[in-house]
Amino acid sequence: MFEEKRKKIAQTVEYLNNRKTINPKIAIVLGSGLGGLTQKIDIVDEIPYKEIPNFPISTVQGHKGTMIFGKLNGVDVVVFNGRFHYYEGYPMSVVTFPQQILPGLGVKTVILSNAAGGMNPTFKVGDIMLIRDHINLFGTNPLLGPNDDTLGPRFPNMSEVYSHRLLKLAHQTGEKLNIFLQEGVYIGVTGPCFETPSEYKMFHIMGADTVGMSTVPEAIMAHYLGLEIFALSVITDLGVVGKVEKASHEEVLAAAAKTGPKVVDLIYNMMPEI
Ligand code: HPA
């Protein structure tokens, strides 16, 4: 029953394991406008997604579409420079394919980053929010369907998807570097529309501090597979009652790019302790 799925994952893992010359334990997924992190990497190999078996190419502006093996602050990492979104029309199996190959590569920890709208009235554009928890509002789940018990449990426990250990490390690192950090709940939606003022209001009432169109499916899959997760949002626009701005993709990219160096600084300095 699982042959087809297992074969695909094994094919991709085999290609990458044969090609890679380092064995990173940490993977990083770069969100919109956060590609600047790649400048800090001592790159060993950069592989366009189109060369990787079973990888689709990402269609969104601001997402490059390469997989990078290299060293970040002396630590081996594999970086996904560009992700696959549900709104692009990919099924959840494709959206979460990068996570599905990580155990086969020997990766233990995944760092997810995204650009997001902020609903918490104390948030400002350019703030960084560490993700403590999420709400899945995609209306679907990447784990639907028969469960392959060799990969993970049928009914995953979701009480600590985002590692408390890594949250603590991030706060300590932020303090040392004088980087102000918010912490809160990310709600994941399909997009591609940005929210109406009433939707932002509803999401805040539901308990979310940021909203975005990624990360949740990836976190569900990574957690299911037993990976430790650290995630953060860059607030690129506000969905605060009375302050809702006319968000555009260009503004999101510009705001994310402006905060990018702070995010890079934070992750760079966390590396040796992860
Ligand atoms: N809503 C949804 N996704 C987003 C937003 C937003 O306001 N900003 C960046 N990604």
Side-chain angles (χ1 to χ4, degrees):
M1 171 183 265
F2 303 110
E3 257 85 88
E4 200 55 34
K5 210 169 117 186
R6 285 181 188 164
K7 204 170 106 192
K8 260 193 175 178
I9 294 170
Q11 232 176 21
T12 309
V13 165
E14 193 190 344
Y15 171 84
L16 291 168
N17 278 340
N18 284 336
R19 178 158 172 168
K20 75 184 163 81
T21 53
I22 55 170
N23 297 305
K25 302 251 177 306
I26 303 171
I28 305 175
V29 179
L30 296 177
S32 296
L34 296 173
L37 182 94
T38 58
Q39 286 160 18
K40 288 276 194 175
I41 302 173
D42 299 317
I43 296 178
V44 174
D45 193 10
E46 180 163 13
I47 313 173
Y49 286 165
K50 62 176 185 300
E51 288 181 21
I52 306 174
N54 305 313
F55 255 59
I57 44 166
S58 103
T59 66
V60 197
Q61 184 205 342
H63 287 259
K64 194 172 168 212
T66 60
M67 191 169 178
I68 298 170
F69 286 89
K71 277 192 191 302
L72 185 60
N73 200 1
V75 181
D76 290 347
V77 287
V78 54
V79 177
F80 295 98
N81 192 12
R83 58 153 54 97
F84 312 118
H85 302 83
Y86 194 56
Y87 65 73
E88 293 175 79
Y90 299 120
M92 279 293 178
S93 55
V94 170
V95 171
T96 62
F97 192 71
Q99 281 69 42
Q100 295 180 56
I101 61 170
L102 293 181
L105 299 181
V107 168
K108 306 284 183 209
T109 304
V110 60
I111 299 175
L112 305 169
S113 59
N114 60 59
M119 281 94 62
N120 185 315
T122 70
F123 287 6
K124 292 190 297 295
V125 168
D127 278 355
I128 299 168
M129 186 193 85
L130 308 183
I131 300 181
R132 179 178 62 240
D133 202 2
H134 75 227
I135 297 172
N136 176 19
L137 211 74
F138 276 80
T140 182
N141 188 300
L143 305 180
L144 286 177
N147 186 56
D148 186 345
D149 294 330
T150 62
L151 298 181
R154 171 74 292 188
F155 301 108
N157 182 293
M158 299 293 276
S159 58
E160 189 185 330
V161 174
Y162 301 90
S163 160
H164 291 177
R165 182 184 78 84
L166 294 177
L167 273 172
K168 193 170 155 200
L169 173 64
H171 281 298
Q172 286 167 346
T173 309
E175 235 164 73
K176 264 188 226 151
L177 300 172
N178 217 2
I179 296 174
F180 177 68
L181 297 171
Q182 306 274 14
E183 185 183 309
V185 177
Y186 174 92
I187 190 166
V189 298
T190 65
C193 299
F194 289 116
E195 287 64 35
T196 64
S198 303
E199 287 165 346
Y200 283 124
K201 186 177 167 189
M202 173 178 73
F203 293 158
H204 189 234
I205 291 169
M206 289 167 90
D209 301 290
T210 57
V211 56
M213 307 173 196
S214 68
T215 304
V216 167
E218 298 159 41
I220 290 172
M221 182 57 76
H223 183 63
Y224 166 78
L225 295 169
L227 299 162
E228 192 177 27
I229 303 172
F230 172 69
L232 56 79
S233 289
V234 173
I235 316 299
T236 54
D237 52 279
L238 291 178
V240 175
V241 176
K243 284 199 225 168
V244 178
E245 292 157 1
K246 291 208 172 95
S248 70
H249 186 56
E250 289 67 35
E251 277 160 356
V252 165
L253 289 182
K258 214 169 145 198
T259 305
K262 272 198 288 180
V263 176
V264 171
D265 211 18
L266 179 72
I267 293 176
Y268 183 89
N269 283 281
M270 285 172 67
M271 289 313 291
E273 308 287 331
I274 292 178

